[in-house]
Coordinates of all heavy atoms in Angstrom, one line a residue:
Chain A
T276 N 131.7 125.1 101.0 CA 130.6 124.6 101.9 C 129.8 123.5 101.1 O 129.4 122.6 101.7 CB 129.7 125.7 102.4 OG1 129.2 126.4 101.2 CG2 130.5 126.7 103.2
H277 N 129.6 123.8 99.8 CA 128.8 122.8 99.0 C 129.5 122.6 97.7 O 130.2 123.6 97.2 CB 127.4 123.3 98.8 CG 126.6 123.4 100.0 ND1 126.6 124.5 100.8 CD2 125.6 122.5 100.5 CE1 125.7 124.3 101.8 NE2 125.1 123.1 101.6
Y302 N 137.2 113.0 107.8 CA 136.1 112.0 108.0 C 135.1 112.2 106.9 O 134.8 113.3 106.4 CB 135.4 112.2 109.3 CG 136.3 111.9 110.5 CD1 137.2 112.9 111.0 CD2 136.3 110.7 111.2 CE1 138.0 112.6 112.1 CE2 137.1 110.4 112.3 CZ 138.0 111.4 112.7 OH 138.8 111.2 113.8
Q304 N 131.0 111.5 106.2 CA 129.8 111.2 106.9 C 128.7 111.1 105.9 O 128.2 112.1 105.3 CB 129.5 112.3 107.9 CG 128.2 112.0 108.8 CD 127.9 113.1 109.8 OE1 128.4 114.2 109.7 NE2 127.1 112.7 110.8
G307 N 122.7 110.1 107.5 CA 122.1 109.3 108.5 C 123.1 108.4 109.2 O 122.7 107.5 110.0
Q308 N 124.4 108.6 109.0 CA 125.5 107.8 109.6 C 126.4 108.6 110.5 O 126.4 109.8 110.4 CB 126.3 107.0 108.5 CG 125.4 106.1 107.6 CD 124.9 104.9 108.4 OE1 125.6 104.3 109.2 NE2 123.6 104.6 108.1
G309 N 127.2 107.9 111.3 CA 128.3 108.6 112.0 C 129.5 108.8 111.1 O 129.6 108.1 110.1
P310 N 130.3 109.7 111.4 CA 131.5 109.9 110.5 C 132.4 108.7 110.5 O 132.6 108.0 111.5 CB 132.2 111.1 111.2 CG 131.1 111.8 112.0 CD 130.2 110.7 112.4
F312 N 136.4 107.5 109.5 CA 137.8 108.0 109.4 C 138.4 107.7 108.0 O 138.3 106.6 107.6 CB 138.6 107.4 110.5 CG 140.1 107.7 110.4 CD1 140.5 109.0 110.6 CD2 141.0 106.7 110.2 CE1 141.9 109.3 110.6 CE2 142.4 107.0 110.2 CZ 142.8 108.3 110.4
Q315 N 144.7 110.7 108.5 CA 145.1 111.7 109.4 C 146.5 112.2 108.9 O 147.3 111.4 108.4 CB 145.3 111.2 110.8 CG 145.8 112.2 111.8 CD 145.8 111.6 113.2 OE1 146.8 111.0 113.6 NE2 144.8 111.7 114.0
G323 N 148.1 107.4 109.5 CA 147.0 106.6 109.8 C 146.0 106.8 108.7 O 145.7 107.8 108.2
R324 N 145.3 105.6 108.4 CA 144.3 105.6 107.3 C 143.2 104.6 107.6 O 143.5 103.6 108.1 CB 145.0 105.2 106.0 CG 144.2 105.4 104.8 CD 144.9 105.0 103.5 NE 144.1 105.3 102.3 CZ 144.1 106.4 101.6 NH1 144.9 107.4 101.9 NH2 143.3 106.5 100.6
L355 N 129.0 114.3 103.5 CA 129.5 115.4 104.2 C 131.0 115.0 104.6 O 131.2 114.0 105.2 CB 128.7 115.7 105.5 CG 129.2 116.9 106.3 CD1 129.1 118.2 105.6 CD2 128.5 117.0 107.6
L357 N 134.2 116.0 106.7 CA 134.5 116.8 107.9 C 136.0 116.7 108.1 O 136.7 115.7 108.0 CB 133.8 116.2 109.1 CG 132.3 116.3 109.2 CD1 131.8 115.4 110.2 CD2 131.9 117.7 109.4
S361 N 143.7 118.9 115.8 CA 144.0 118.7 117.2 C 145.4 119.2 117.5 O 146.3 119.2 116.7 CB 143.9 117.3 117.6 OG 144.6 116.4 116.8
T364 N 150.4 116.4 120.9 CA 150.2 115.5 122.0 C 150.9 116.0 123.2 O 151.9 116.7 123.1 CB 150.7 114.1 121.7 OG1 152.1 114.1 121.4 CG2 150.0 113.4 120.5
G367 N 152.6 112.2 125.5 CA 152.3 111.0 124.8 C 150.8 110.7 124.7 O 150.4 109.7 124.1
R368 N 150.0 111.6 125.2 CA 148.6 111.4 125.1 C 148.0 112.3 124.1 O 148.3 113.5 124.0 CB 147.9 111.8 126.5 CG 148.5 111.0 127.7 CD 147.8 111.3 128.9 NE 146.4 110.8 128.9 CZ 146.0 109.6 129.1 NH1 146.9 108.6 129.4 NH2 144.7 109.2 129.0
R369 N 147.1 111.8 123.3 CA 146.4 112.5 122.2 C 145.5 113.6 122.8 O 144.9 113.4 123.9 CB 145.7 111.6 121.3 CG 146.6 110.6 120.6 CD 145.8 109.8 119.6 NE 146.7 108.9 118.8 CZ 146.7 107.6 118.9 NH1 145.9 107.0 119.8 NH2 147.6 106.9 118.2
E370 N 145.3 114.6 122.0 CA 144.4 115.7 122.5 C 143.1 115.6 121.7 O 143.0 114.9 120.7 CB 145.1 117.0 122.3 CG 146.3 117.2 123.1 CD 146.0 117.3 124.6 OE1 144.8 117.7 124.9 OE2 146.8 116.9 125.4
T371 N 142.1 116.4 122.2 CA 140.8 116.4 121.6 C 140.8 116.9 120.1 O 141.6 117.9 119.8 CB 139.9 117.2 122.4 OG1 139.8 116.6 123.7 CG2 138.5 117.3 121.8
Q372 N 140.0 116.4 119.3 CA 139.8 116.8 117.9 C 138.7 117.8 117.9 O 137.6 117.6 118.4 CB 139.5 115.7 117.0 CG 140.7 114.7 116.8 CD 140.5 113.7 115.8 OE1 139.4 113.5 115.2 NE2 141.6 112.9 115.5
Y373 N 138.9 118.9 117.1 CA 137.9 120.0 116.9 C 137.5 120.0 115.5 O 138.4 120.1 114.6 CB 138.4 121.3 117.5 CG 138.6 121.3 118.9 CD1 139.8 120.9 119.5 CD2 137.5 121.6 119.8 CE1 140.0 120.9 120.9 CE2 137.7 121.5 121.2 CZ 139.0 121.2 121.7 OH 139.1 121.1 123.1
F374 N 136.2 120.0 115.2 CA 135.8 119.9 113.8 C 135.4 121.2 113.1 O 135.0 122.2 113.8 CB 134.5 119.0 113.8 CG 134.8 117.6 114.0 CD1 135.0 117.0 115.3 CD2 134.9 116.7 112.9 CE1 135.2 115.7 115.4 CE2 135.2 115.4 113.1 CZ 135.3 114.8 114.3
G375 N 135.6 121.2 111.8 CA 135.1 122.3 111.0 C 133.7 122.0 110.6 O 133.1 121.0 110.9
P376 N 133.1 123.0 109.8 CA 131.7 122.9 109.5 C 131.3 121.9 108.4 O 130.2 121.6 108.1 CB 131.3 124.3 109.0 CG 132.6 124.9 108.5 CD 133.7 124.2 109.4
G377 N 132.4 121.4 107.7 CA 132.2 120.4 106.7 C 131.9 120.9 105.3 O 131.6 122.1 105.1
R379 N 129.7 119.7 101.9 CA 128.7 118.8 101.4 C 129.0 118.5 99.9 O 128.9 119.4 99.1 CB 127.3 119.4 101.6 CG 126.2 118.5 101.0 CD 125.9 117.3 101.8 NE 125.3 117.6 103.1 CZ 125.1 116.7 104.0 NH1 125.4 115.5 103.9 NH2 124.5 117.1 105.2
Chain B
D240 N 143.3 102.3 128.3 CA 143.5 103.8 128.3 C 142.9 104.4 127.1 O 143.4 104.1 126.0 CB 145.0 104.1 128.5 CG 145.2 105.5 129.0 OD1 144.2 106.3 129.1 OD2 146.3 105.9 129.3
Y242 N 139.9 107.6 125.5 CA 138.9 108.7 125.7 C 137.6 108.3 125.2 O 137.5 107.6 124.2 CB 139.4 110.0 125.0 CG 140.7 110.6 125.4 CD1 141.7 110.9 124.5 CD2 141.0 110.9 126.7 CE1 142.9 111.5 124.8 CE2 142.2 111.5 127.1 CZ 143.1 111.8 126.1 OH 144.3 112.3 126.4
F244 N 133.9 110.4 124.1 CA 133.4 111.8 123.8 C 131.9 111.7 123.5 O 131.4 110.7 123.0 CB 134.1 112.4 122.6 CG 135.6 112.5 122.7 CD1 136.4 111.4 122.3 CD2 136.2 113.6 123.1 CE1 137.7 111.5 122.4 CE2 137.6 113.7 123.2 CZ 138.3 112.7 122.8
Y246 N 129.7 114.2 121.0 CA 129.6 115.3 120.1 C 128.2 115.6 119.7 O 127.4 114.7 119.6 CB 130.4 115.0 118.8 CG 131.9 115.2 119.0 CD1 132.7 114.1 119.3 CD2 132.6 116.4 118.7 CE1 134.1 114.2 119.4 CE2 134.0 116.5 118.8 CZ 134.7 115.4 119.1 OH 136.1 115.5 119.2
Q248 N 125.7 117.4 116.8 CA 125.7 117.9 115.5 C 124.3 118.5 115.1 O 123.4 117.8 114.8 CB 126.1 116.8 114.5 CG 126.3 117.3 113.0 CD 126.7 116.2 112.1 OE1 126.2 115.1 112.2 NE2 127.7 116.6 111.2
S251 N 123.1 122.6 111.3 CA 124.1 123.4 110.7 C 125.3 122.5 110.3 O 126.2 123.0 109.6 CB 124.6 124.5 111.6 OG 125.2 124.0 112.8
R252 N 125.4 121.3 110.8 CA 126.4 120.3 110.5 C 127.6 120.3 111.3 O 128.4 119.4 111.3 CB 126.8 120.3 109.0 CG 125.6 120.3 108.0 CD 126.1 120.4 106.6 NE 127.2 121.3 106.4 CZ 127.5 121.9 105.3 NH1 126.8 121.7 104.2 NH2 128.6 122.6 105.2
Q253 N 127.9 121.5 112.0 CA 129.1 121.6 112.8 C 129.1 120.6 113.9 O 128.2 120.5 114.7 CB 129.2 123.0 113.3 CG 130.5 123.2 114.1 CD 131.6 123.9 113.3 OE1 131.3 124.8 112.5 NE2 132.8 123.5 113.6
M254 N 130.1 119.8 114.0 CA 130.3 118.8 115.1 C 130.9 119.5 116.3 O 132.1 119.9 116.2 CB 131.2 117.6 114.6 CG 131.2 116.4 115.4 SD 129.7 115.4 115.2 CE 130.0 114.6 113.7
L256 N 132.0 119.6 120.3 CA 132.3 118.7 121.5 C 131.4 119.1 122.6 O 131.4 120.3 123.0 CB 133.8 118.9 121.8 CG 134.2 118.2 123.1 CD1 134.2 116.7 122.9 CD2 135.6 118.6 123.5
R259 N 134.0 115.3 127.4 CA 135.0 114.3 127.3 C 135.3 113.6 128.6 O 135.3 114.2 129.6 CB 136.3 115.0 126.8 CG 137.5 114.0 126.6 CD 138.7 114.8 126.1 NE 139.6 115.1 127.2 CZ 140.9 115.4 127.0 NH1 141.4 115.5 125.8 NH2 141.7 115.7 128.1
E261 N 138.0 110.7 130.3 CA 139.3 110.0 130.3 C 139.1 108.7 131.0 O 138.6 108.7 132.2 CB 140.4 110.8 130.8 CG 140.7 112.0 129.9 CD 141.7 113.0 130.6 OE1 141.4 113.4 131.7 OE2 142.6 113.4 130.0
Y263 N 140.9 106.6 132.5 CA 141.6 106.3 133.8 C 141.1 107.1 134.9 O 141.4 106.9 136.1 CB 143.1 106.6 133.6 CG 143.5 108.0 133.5 CD1 143.7 108.8 134.6 CD2 143.6 108.6 132.2 CE1 144.1 110.2 134.5 CE2 144.0 110.0 132.1 CZ 144.2 110.7 133.2 OH 144.5 112.0 133.1
F300 N 126.4 112.2 118.9 CA 127.3 111.1 118.6 C 128.2 110.8 119.8 O 128.8 111.7 120.3 CB 128.1 111.4 117.4 CG 127.3 111.5 116.1 CD1 126.9 112.7 115.6 CD2 127.1 110.3 115.4 CE1 126.2 112.8 114.4 CE2 126.3 110.4 114.2 CZ 125.9 111.6 113.7
R304 N 138.3 107.1 121.3 CA 139.6 107.3 120.7 C 140.6 106.8 121.7 O 140.6 107.0 122.9 CB 139.8 108.8 120.5 CG 141.1 109.2 119.8 CD 141.2 110.7 119.7 NE 142.3 111.0 118.7 CZ 142.9 112.2 118.7 NH1 142.6 113.1 119.5 NH2 143.8 112.4 117.7
A305 N 141.6 106.0 121.1 CA 142.7 105.5 121.9 C 143.5 106.8 122.4 O 143.7 107.7 121.6 CB 143.6 104.6 121.1
S306 N 144.0 106.8 123.6 CA 144.6 108.0 124.1 C 146.1 108.0 124.0 O 146.6 109.1 124.0 CB 144.2 108.1 125.6 OG 144.7 107.0 126.3
L307 N 146.7 106.9 123.9 CA 148.2 106.9 123.9 C 148.7 106.9 122.5 O 148.3 106.1 121.6 CB 148.7 105.7 124.7 CG 148.3 105.7 126.1 CD1 148.9 104.5 126.9 CD2 148.8 107.0 126.8
N308 N 149.7 107.7 122.2 CA 150.2 108.0 120.9 C 151.4 107.0 120.6 O 152.5 107.5 120.3 CB 150.6 109.4 120.7 CG 150.9 109.8 119.3 OD1 150.3 109.2 118.4 ND2 151.8 110.7 119.1
Y309 N 151.2 105.7 120.7 CA 152.3 104.8 120.4 C 151.6 103.4 120.2 O 150.4 103.2 120.3 CB 153.3 104.7 121.5 CG 152.8 104.1 122.8 CD1 152.7 102.8 123.0 CD2 152.4 105.0 123.8 CE1 152.3 102.2 124.2 CE2 152.0 104.5 125.0 CZ 151.9 103.1 125.2 OH 151.5 102.6 126.4
S312 N 148.6 102.3 117.4 CA 147.1 102.6 117.5 C 146.9 103.9 116.7 O 147.7 104.8 116.8 CB 146.7 102.7 118.9 OG 147.2 103.9 119.5
Q313 N 145.8 103.9 116.0 CA 145.5 105.1 115.2 C 144.9 106.1 116.1 O 144.2 105.9 117.0 CB 144.5 104.7 114.0 CG 145.2 103.6 113.1 CD 144.8 103.9 111.7 OE1 145.3 104.7 111.0 NE2 143.8 103.1 111.2
G314 N 145.0 107.4 115.6 CA 144.5 108.5 116.4 C 143.1 108.9 116.1 O 142.7 110.0 116.5
N315 N 142.4 108.1 115.3 CA 141.1 108.5 114.8 C 140.0 108.3 115.9 O 140.1 107.4 116.7 CB 140.7 107.8 113.5 CG 140.7 106.3 113.7 OD1 141.8 105.7 113.9 ND2 139.6 105.6 113.7
L316 N 138.9 109.0 115.7 CA 137.7 108.8 116.5 C 136.9 107.7 115.8 O 136.8 107.6 114.6 CB 136.9 110.1 116.5 CG 137.4 111.2 117.4 CD1 136.8 112.6 117.0 CD2 137.1 111.0 118.8
F318 N 133.0 106.5 115.8 CA 131.7 107.1 116.1 C 130.6 106.0 116.1 O 130.7 105.0 115.4 CB 131.3 108.1 115.1 CG 132.1 109.4 115.2 CD1 133.2 109.6 114.5 CD2 131.5 110.5 116.0 CE1 133.9 110.8 114.6 CE2 132.2 111.7 116.1 CZ 133.4 111.8 115.4
G319 N 129.6 106.2 117.0 CA 128.4 105.5 116.8 C 127.5 106.1 115.7 O 127.9 107.0 115.1
K320 N 126.4 105.5 115.5 CA 125.5 106.0 114.4 C 124.7 107.2 114.8 O 124.0 107.8 113.9 CB 124.6 104.9 114.0 CG 125.3 103.7 113.2 CD 124.4 102.8 112.6 CE 125.2 101.7 111.8 NZ 124.3 100.8 111.0

Side-chain angles (χ1 to χ4, degrees):
Chain A
T276 56
H277 294 84
Y302 295 82
Q304 186 179 16
Q308 300 293 319
F312 175 64
Q315 181 179 86
R324 188 178 184 93
L355 179 67
L357 295 165
S361 51
T364 58
R368 303 185 68 81
R369 296 188 175 107
E370 296 295 331
T371 299
Q372 294 186 352
Y373 295 90
F374 284 82
R379 174 76 68 190
Chain B
D240 198 353
Y242 297 127
F244 304 86
Y246 282 91
Q248 188 177 42
S251 66
R252 310 175 325 203
Q253 180 97 39
M254 194 75 79
L256 177 67
R259 179 179 98 162
E261 293 166 310
Y263 70 88
F300 291 95
R304 188 183 192 200
S306 60
L307 298 179
N308 193 31
Y309 67 82
S312 69
Q313 299 216 81
N315 56 291
L316 288 160
F318 287 88
K320 291 190 173 182

